[in-house]
Amino acid sequence: IALTIAALNDLQVKTSDIKNAYLTSPCEEKIYTTLGLEFGSDAGNKAIIVRAMYGLKSAGASFGRHLADCMRTLGYQRCKADADLWYKPMVRPSDKFEYYAYVLTLVDDCLSIHHDADSALHEIDKYFPMKPGSIGDPDIYLGSKLKPVQMENDVVAWGMSSSKYVQEAVKNTEIYLAENFGGRKLPVGRAKGPWPTDYLAEMDVTQELSPKLANYYQSQVGVLHWIVELGRVDIITEVSLLASAMAMPREGHLDAVFHVFADLKRKHN
């Protein structure tokens, strides 16, 4: 939707990454720790943690509130329907066009839609230093490949593709199979569609997975869910069925996951 708005109103789209995101934020709670041996003569002493260090349970919340304070200081308002979407009224100087500028955030990823998106992100950079060279034209955003596409009426729109993310997910699955299942490969030859023929996930009575494999199953279903979010709605039914077995996955469910990945290997676009 945001990219469509950018195309319809001839607005720039730029992305950036916040450097050491959590460490830019102060802790909202009083937290201390006991120093370990790596601190030499100070080992055993107590230390107060003043920054939202990675690993703290409250780090994400501290960073989120700190970022929100920054966005409000810059004049943005938070969308009531999506807490990661910020907007503010703007006027494009060249033609006095009135519109809303947007900043989409997800932890340390920022996407700006603005008549001067580069300057908008550099404003945020004053409060949250960006990774060197990260402010620029979008290439990959949240796993999706972005690229400008010129339409027949000369309007420049934005195209999104999950292909690169799918290929990486398939590659990682094949590596896991080779390392943990004695060189087993994805059943590409048998995968004529995303779902095994005559397989009923809700009726599966095969052996329950070990805790380690169950964790892997859950992570793979999460990957498939994100692939659906990136546009592969053709596997949404299969992913929903696999997600229904998250609490107690069985060997048959894991085989079905591999079958879906085999189909994605054949059709990664």
Side-chain angles (χ1 to χ4, degrees):
I1 294 174
L3 294 173
T4 301
I5 291 173
L8 291 174
N9 296 290
D10 193 23
L11 299 174
Q12 295 180 9
V13 178
K14 301 284 184 180
T15 57
S16 65
D17 290 338
I18 297 174
K19 182 180 179 181
N20 298 328
Y22 286 1
L23 298 181
T24 61
S25 309
C27 281
E28 294 192 339
E29 302 173 310
K30 292 183 178 179
I31 302 174
Y32 79 92
T33 186
T34 302
L35 300 180
L37 297 176
E38 63 272 20
F39 287 89
S41 60
D42 288 325
N45 292 337
K46 299 294 188 291
I48 297 175
I49 299 175
V50 298
R51 287 288 170 182
M53 296 179 63
Y54 289 86
L56 293 178
K57 292 183 178 180
S58 60
S62 295
F63 172 74
R65 293 192 187 95
H66 192 49
L67 179 60
D69 289 341
C70 164
M71 298 303 290
R72 292 190 183 99
T73 300
L74 294 174
Y76 288 90
Q77 301 177 58
R78 173 175 266 164
C79 175
K80 293 181 179 179
D82 187 340
D84 294 323
L85 174 62
W86 297 85
Y87 66 96
K88 70 175 177 180
M90 294 293 297
V91 178
R92 184 161 52 204
S94 61
D95 57 3
K96 307 303 180 185
F97 174 66
E98 297 181 359
Y99 71 97
Y100 282 103
Y102 297 96
V103 173
L104 287 71
T105 63
L106 183 63
V107 190
D108 60 347
D109 292 320
C110 299
L111 184 145
S112 174
I113 295 174
H114 195 284
H115 73 267
D116 188 1
D118 195 80
S119 296
L121 289 174
H122 274 97
E123 268 193 322
I124 301 175
D125 180 55
K126 296 175 183 177
Y127 296 86
F128 292 87
M130 301 293 178
K131 294 178 182 177
S134 69
I135 298 178
D137 296 327
D139 178 35
I140 299 293
Y141 185 70
L142 305 183
S144 181
K145 175 76 173 178
L146 301 181
K147 67 176 182 178
V149 178
Q150 188 162 0
M151 311 296 286
E152 293 181 359
N153 59 358
D154 293 331
V155 171
V156 177
W158 287 91
M160 296 179 62
S161 172
S162 61
S163 177
K164 190 168 184 178
Y165 184 89
V166 168
Q167 290 180 71
E168 284 296 316
V170 169
K171 178 181 175 182
N172 292 336
T173 303
E174 289 182 316
I175 292 173
Y176 185 89
L177 274 172
E179 294 179 349
N180 297 275
F181 285 83
R184 179 179 171 184
K185 298 182 182 296
L186 290 174
V188 178
R190 301 199 311 271
K192 304 303 181 184
W195 199 245
T197 304
D198 297 329
Y199 177 63
L200 300 175
E202 68 276 15
M203 302 294 288
D204 195 309
V205 292
T206 56
Q207 182 67 36
E208 293 175 17
L209 295 178
S210 65
K212 181 180 178 180
L213 282 178
N215 183 263
Y216 176 72
Y217 173 87
Q218 291 161 353
S219 69
Q220 289 299 91
V221 172
V223 170
L224 290 172
H225 180 270
W226 191 244
I227 289 173
V228 172
E229 291 287 334
L230 293 179
R232 290 298 300 266
V233 294
D234 57 310
I235 61 170
I236 190 170
T237 300
E238 290 77 13
V239 175
S240 296
L241 289 170
L242 293 171
S244 67
M246 292 276 270
M248 189 183 292
R250 298 175 179 272
E251 291 177 353
H253 298 130
L254 185 58
D255 287 339
V257 164
F258 292 143
H259 192 101
V260 175
F261 275 103
D263 185 64
L264 289 173
K265 183 176 181 178
R266 290 193 311 112
K267 301 179 295 185
H268 60 81
N269 287 319

